[in-house]
Amino acid sequence: MFARGIKRKCFDGEEDIEGTLAGFKSVPSYNLQRQSLLDMSLVKLQLCHMLVEPNLCRSVLIANTVRQIQEEMTQDGTWQVINAQNTGQASLDRLVSSDILCRSTKEQGEGKLVPSYSSFSKDFEDIQSQDIISDLSTVASVQAPRNPQSNVWEMENPQENRGNFQKSLDQIFETLENKNPNSVEDLFSDVDNSYYDLDTVLTGMMSNTKMGHCDVLESFSSQTTTNSNSNCKSDINELDHIVEILVES
Amino acid sequence: MAGAGGGGGVGGGPAPMGGSDLQWCFSQVKGAIDEDVAEADIISTVEFNYSGDLLATGDKGGRVVIFQKEQENKSRPHSRGEYNVYSTFQSHEPEFDYLKSLEIEEKINKIRWLPQQNAAHFLLSTNDKTIKLWKISERDKRAEGYNLKDEDGRLRDPFRITALRVPILKPMDLMVEASPRRIFANAHTYHINSISVNSDHETYLSADDLRVNLWHLEITDRSFNIVDIKPVNMEELTEVITAAEFHPHQCNVFVYSSSKGTIRLCDMRSSALCDRHSKFFEEPEDPSSRSFFSEIISSISDVKFSHSGRYMMTRDYLSVKVWDLNMETRPVETYQVHEYLRSKLCSLYENDCIFDKFECCWNGSDGALMTGSYNNFFRMFDRSTRRDVTLEASRESSKPRAILKPRKVCTGGKRRKDEISVDSLDFNKKILHTAWHPLQNIIAVAATNNLYIFQDKVN
């Protein structure tokens, strides 16, 4: 099957990768699928934060899957991910139509392997131009146009990215605990504004601050509102006021 | 309740269920017919009481509907009696947690009946955070002839009362009242997934993702924490509790299952905090089928003791396993529910179906198992003959006493005439909740907003 042996089962029953396509062509396919699974998982974790408390079991299972992928990628040295700064935003940048990838394994026969890979890069470019990505990258700067292929195959500061990744995974659980205000900001500072807007409507707060969704939660559960974003000063005062009222009661 | 082993249904003997021995017929369907299903009407739990005369359902809108079985009628020999609405009430309301800025859903996660001790019926119903004890009682008499008030309730002027009379009880139309007797709140930080009444009939447990609490039915302001798997550092959290249940006969024993596919049996006599299990059940992983989804599909969604108390059954994403409580190393029986989904796990992960929590149940004699699947299919397994059958809960096969035809999913190659291919399955039609009458071959199957009741063919 794959050059890496039988340790991992391939995705969605793809078993038809020819022996003749071993080496370069079959390995990228596995890495590609693994990467898309990682991306999908990270998106799922971030999209957890809605009106109702996220399902903890689901979050834990997804996080474990992400850790598993991370471990494997670390072991075989393909752990490069992306942007050193912000894993969350970067993973969304690299988001590929996972539907295509999940389907691609079924459609892949011997002859189709290469075309589906090129459709991957095409989708990537399409997605980059979509609005959703631009919404999501308001805060962090988008890197200079990157060749998607080079992203997948190049090594870029693996140590740092690994550290940041672990940090963001931990942050996700901290979020669920509402414990650590500082780290949460980084993770959610580029959350889709529409989530935030809905939240401000619900909590009756002003709507033009740049606070992430979780910062709103943080301010209710901790007395010190540590928000480094200077645009929020007036709102912070209002928040402080609200927190005081809640804490006193 | 049916005894161990051979004690069976009304017909006597163990209830056979597979193949030619037993056929299932449509009996009734409850719920609206339109395609447009209101979210609040989606049934979220189904439970027979100890005698099987009452069948309770809870829905996402926080309502509980109780059906009562009518007496079996000699003039209708083909029917075991129909279930009619007995009581409907709003159990839980939506709430808002102001501190966390989050909604608390009113969806009823579980209903458990208490054994009947007097004329009234009691049940526990729970949403994510609060458990309530409801009393359902009948009133079929009313007092007439009060001295201090009129027939319509208005107070009479005391000066106008010249004589005293004794009020008389007169029959009235049956009225069934549900009243909340206890509210057990503020004991769970995480979402409650299970409640289980103890065999002592005085206590019960409630389990959320990280903790299990023990309550006394009379005491609402205190509960004992008996299991706590919350790590000091939430960053280290890798496993949650998915289900818990008391042993049916040993009041000191309970089990809880986890998202890693393990079951821990605990004895409350050993220590106050049962963080150390007495028994640990886990099946070793098959290395040849390992994938990134292995852990997710091993997560146990339901655990149920057999009526005898000798076995327990667990449901994970693709299979149902029967464990002998005396053997921790592996299950004694494994039944595949929908193995054809194994090659679709990536897609099922993407659309979140892989996180669906299917329940499972035993029949009264512990000889058969039932669990749900997709496309409104449900599966039944006969433990002795090892035969299994796939049936469908659909409006098409809903003619009175129509025999259900076994269904088959074709996994590849040529599709035969009555088979359905895996890609045509409707993953939005999932049967998560099923219940089996404790004494008879009557089953209740919840298909989204409809409740189907099937009975075996009575000859």
Side-chain angles (χ1 to χ4, degrees), chain B residues 130-285:
Chain B
T130 304
I131 307 133
K132 295 187 184 181
L133 176 69
W134 288 88
K135 176 181 179 184
I136 297 105
S137 47
E138 292 183 5
R139 191 199 287 267
D140 61 357
K141 294 183 198 45
R142 139 179 114 231
E144 273 179 22
Y146 283 101
N147 291 292
L148 295 176
K149 56 184 184 188
D150 279 343
E151 292 312 317
D152 40 6
R154 277 179 312 184
L155 291 173
R156 287 169 78 192
D157 185 357
F159 296 109
R160 314 246 336 250
I161 301 172
T162 51
L164 284 178
R165 55 188 176 169
V166 177
I168 303 169
L169 287 177
K170 291 225 173 114
M172 58 178 257
D173 288 340
L174 178 67
M175 200 165 73
V176 181
E177 299 172 322
S179 58
R181 305 302 284 181
R182 304 269 186 277
I183 296 182
F184 305 91
N186 301 321
H188 286 279
T189 309
Y190 302 97
H191 291 178
I192 297 174
N193 52 54
S194 315
I195 48 175
S196 176
V197 181
N198 204 348
S199 52
D200 64 9
H201 301 164
E202 286 186 350
T203 57
Y204 74 94
L205 64 75
S206 58
D208 66 27
D209 295 312
L210 298 179
R211 298 189 176 102
V212 180
N213 292 334
L214 179 72
W215 302 84
H216 191 284
L217 284 165
E218 299 292 327
I219 300 169
T220 58
D221 60 355
R222 253 177 300 150
S223 78
F224 290 100
N225 176 240
I226 52 179
V227 174
D228 188 340
I229 65 167
K230 183 179 173 202
V232 170
N233 238 336
M234 273 298 267
E235 298 163 5
E236 291 162 11
L237 180 66
T238 57
E239 189 174 12
V240 299
I241 296 171
T242 52
E245 193 176 64
F246 264 121
H247 190 279
H249 309 307
Q250 295 169 33
C251 59
N252 51 298
V253 171
F254 67 94
V255 291
Y256 68 93
S257 59
S258 83
S259 55
K260 286 196 170 173
T262 66
I263 309 103
R264 289 170 176 81
L265 184 143
C266 301
D267 186 334
M268 295 195 293
R269 296 172 304 189
S270 57
S271 68
L273 187 61
C274 299
D275 276 0
R276 273 192 315 207
H277 49 263
S278 300
K279 293 195 184 184
F280 182 76
F281 299 82
E282 187 180 29
E283 181 169 26
E285 193 182 8

Side-chain angles (χ1 to χ4, degrees), chain A residues 61-201:
Chain A
L61 289 172
I62 298 172
N64 289 351
T65 307
V66 167
R67 273 198 201 99
Q68 211 184 321
I69 298 174
Q70 178 207 2
E71 268 167 35
E72 193 182 277
M73 286 174 88
T74 307
Q75 271 168 26
D76 57 24
T78 51
W79 181 249
Q80 2 74 347
V81 187
I82 325 88
N83 202 341
Q85 261 230 314
N86 200 323
T87 314
Q89 182 252 335
S91 71
L92 287 159
D93 272 354
R94 302 187 65 251
L95 181 64
V96 176
S97 168
S98 48
D99 173 56
I100 302 263
L101 274 175
C102 277
R103 265 194 283 126
S104 71
T105 61
K106 276 188 280 180
E107 290 156 12
Q108 273 172 16
E110 324 156 21
K112 283 188 181 177
L113 179 59
V114 174
S116 65
Y117 180 71
S118 57
S119 76
F120 157 63
S121 20
K122 180 176 174 303
D123 283 331
F124 178 79
E125 284 153 26
D126 286 345
I127 285 165
Q128 264 201 319
S129 63
Q130 282 171 21
D131 290 335
I132 187 165
I133 296 297
S134 59
D135 281 345
L136 288 156
S137 43
T138 44
V139 175
S141 59
V142 180
Q143 290 287 301
R146 296 169 297 190
N147 184 344
Q149 283 181 298
S150 68
N151 267 331
V152 174
W153 309 124
E154 275 175 355
M155 305 270 284
E156 279 182 284
N157 301 323
Q159 295 277 356
E160 203 181 324
N161 288 332
R162 226 179 295 149
N164 282 327
F165 169 76
Q166 184 60 46
K167 187 163 154 253
S168 57
L169 194 58
D170 295 343
Q171 284 162 8
I172 286 162
F173 284 111
E174 290 295 355
T175 309
L176 296 173
E177 264 293 279
N178 288 338
K179 249 195 224 166
N180 193 342
N182 288 323
S183 54
V184 160
E185 281 173 60
D186 290 338
L187 185 62
F188 293 98
S189 56
D190 60 345
V191 158
D192 187 351
N193 284 330
S194 65
Y195 283 118
Y196 168 74
D197 287 338
L198 185 60
D199 185 62
T200 51
V201 164

Side-chain angles (χ1 to χ4, degrees), chain A residues 3 10 20 23 41 48 72 74 85 109 126 134 170 183 203 205 208 232:
Chain A
C10 58
T20 55
S41 304
C48 280
E72 193 182 277
T74 307
Q85 261 230 314
D126 286 345
S134 59
D170 295 343
S183 54
T203 55
M205 289 176 51
N208 55 359
C232 308

